[in-house]
Amino acid sequence: MNTTHYTHHESPALGHEMRPVMPSFGKLLERTWNFFTEHSKILALIGLPVFIASVLSFLPFMANKAIPDLLPAVSALNGAVGLVLKLVYVALSLLWPLALVRTIVSHRHAKSITMESAYEPGWELLGQYAIALILTTLISCLASLIFVIPGIYLQVAFSFVLFVLVAEGKRGAQVLTTSWYRVKGYWWPVFGRLVGFGIIVVAVLAILSAVLAPLVSLLFAFAHISVNLYHLGNLVGQAVQMFVVMPLFYIFLSELYYSLHSINGKELSNSEHRNSVNILAGIA
């Protein structure tokens, strides 16, 4: 069971109560990595269906390109099968973040969860997930069309809608307003930590790509194996994304969320939710 305490306070000056502060960026990274290594097996299983669907969706199209003399009927059948597999991949890709967050939240509460149960949230939760996804995308895009800064502000404020939906059981517009309230007063620390995490991920991936790509090319050339490096690169990129980058990102988000919840964790009244909706509508 995770027993980490998330509330941090600076030492107050005599007679003054200081504002709670979030954990440092380094501490969040350390907790993220520890959680990832401790639960890497189940996190990998959550990404496995999406990765398999991604690989299978490309096989029929690759067969058509690799064997140009296929009969038209066979080629058309391959294309149809590839389209169906592509739709399955898209559906799993949409479900995957929800399954990942459900897994992370369950393990934070010392509750085990299987891959099958993570992907079976029930129609009610799926509907709420779809509503939250549509609302956050719509409001952020509308705000970005008017001016970039409100769009960025809302994207950060809505970063935790999935955790609010799964961990707190909020529904409808309350998912958005609760996420916004959790970030309230700490937008810049959250933004800075998200940017810092993104920079580290991009830097590490760039270094790995620069080092591994020439080595892989030399290896296949030495072994006299003909391979499409573009497709191979896509396959490796998908694997890194599914099994490393995105699990780490959502774990990092969970660390931010629980640290914010320890500071701004009070339940909002109905009137406060209505006021928050009005404020968000004004921004958008």
Side-chain angles (χ1 to χ4, degrees):
M1 181 175 179
N2 192 313
T3 57
T4 306
H5 296 287
Y6 290 91
T7 305
H8 297 259
H9 293 78
E10 294 175 346
S11 298
L14 188 60
H16 294 83
E17 184 179 351
M18 299 298 289
R19 175 190 179 190
V21 297
M22 294 180 62
S24 67
F25 180 61
K27 179 61 69 175
L28 290 172
L29 287 179
E30 179 185 352
R31 292 175 181 171
T32 297
W33 182 253
N34 289 341
F35 188 94
F36 176 76
T37 54
E38 184 179 352
H39 304 288
S40 57
K41 183 177 180 180
I42 182 62
L43 293 172
L45 286 174
I46 297 299
L48 190 60
V50 188
F51 179 70
I52 293 175
S54 173
V55 173
L56 292 178
S57 67
F58 280 105
L59 290 180
F61 298 109
M62 291 176 65
N64 284 346
K65 290 183 178 180
I67 311 174
D69 296 330
L70 281 175
L71 293 174
V74 176
S75 180
L77 179 61
N78 278 344
V81 171
L83 180 60
V84 171
L85 291 173
K86 198 71 175 178
L87 292 175
V88 172
Y89 165 66
V90 171
L92 286 174
S93 296
L94 292 174
L95 283 174
W96 174 49
L98 182 59
L100 200 55
V101 169
R102 295 185 76 212
T103 302
I104 293 170
V105 171
S106 293
H107 281 282
R108 287 205 172 277
H109 293 277
K111 297 177 181 178
S112 61
I113 186 171
T114 64
M115 180 186 71
E116 293 80 8
S117 59
Y119 276 99
E120 294 175 351
W123 288 109
E124 194 268 342
L125 185 58
L126 277 177
Q128 293 297 329
Y129 172 51
I131 291 171
L133 194 64
I134 292 169
L135 286 176
T136 53
T137 303
L138 182 62
I139 294 175
S140 298
C141 288
L142 286 174
S144 298
L145 287 175
I146 303 301
F147 198 55
V148 175
I149 294 177
I152 296 174
Y153 173 84
L154 290 176
Q155 286 175 3
V156 174
F158 295 155
S159 296
F160 307 104
V161 291
L162 267 180
F163 290 95
V164 172
L165 180 67
V166 173
E168 300 187 44
K170 301 299 182 185
R171 298 293 183 262
Q174 289 188 356
V175 175
L176 277 67
T177 56
T178 302
S179 178
W180 174 78
Y181 181 80
R182 299 289 178 256
V183 179
K184 185 179 179 182
Y186 292 87
W187 189 92
W188 280 111
V190 172
F191 176 72
R193 285 159 173 76
L194 288 174
V195 170
F197 182 84
I199 291 173
I200 289 177
V201 169
V202 170
V204 170
L205 291 180
I207 293 171
L208 289 176
S209 177
V211 172
L212 293 179
L215 291 177
V216 171
S217 300
L218 287 173
L219 179 64
F220 280 104
F222 181 77
H224 302 289
I225 298 175
S226 177
V227 64
N228 188 317
L229 292 179
Y230 175 77
H231 292 306
L232 179 63
N234 277 341
L235 185 64
V236 173
Q238 285 275 2
V240 172
Q241 178 185 355
M242 296 294 166
F243 301 126
V244 181
V245 175
M246 295 309 293
L248 283 173
F249 172 69
Y250 278 102
I251 296 169
F252 187 77
L253 271 185
S254 76
E255 293 293 342
L256 284 171
Y257 166 74
Y258 281 106
S259 64
L260 288 169
H261 191 277
S262 68
I263 299 171
N264 287 336
K266 79 161 191 172
E267 288 290 324
L268 298 179
S269 65
N270 290 333
S271 62
E272 287 175 317
H273 277 295
R274 285 194 296 270
N275 291 336
S276 298
V277 169
N278 293 333
I279 292 172
L280 293 175
I283 294 173

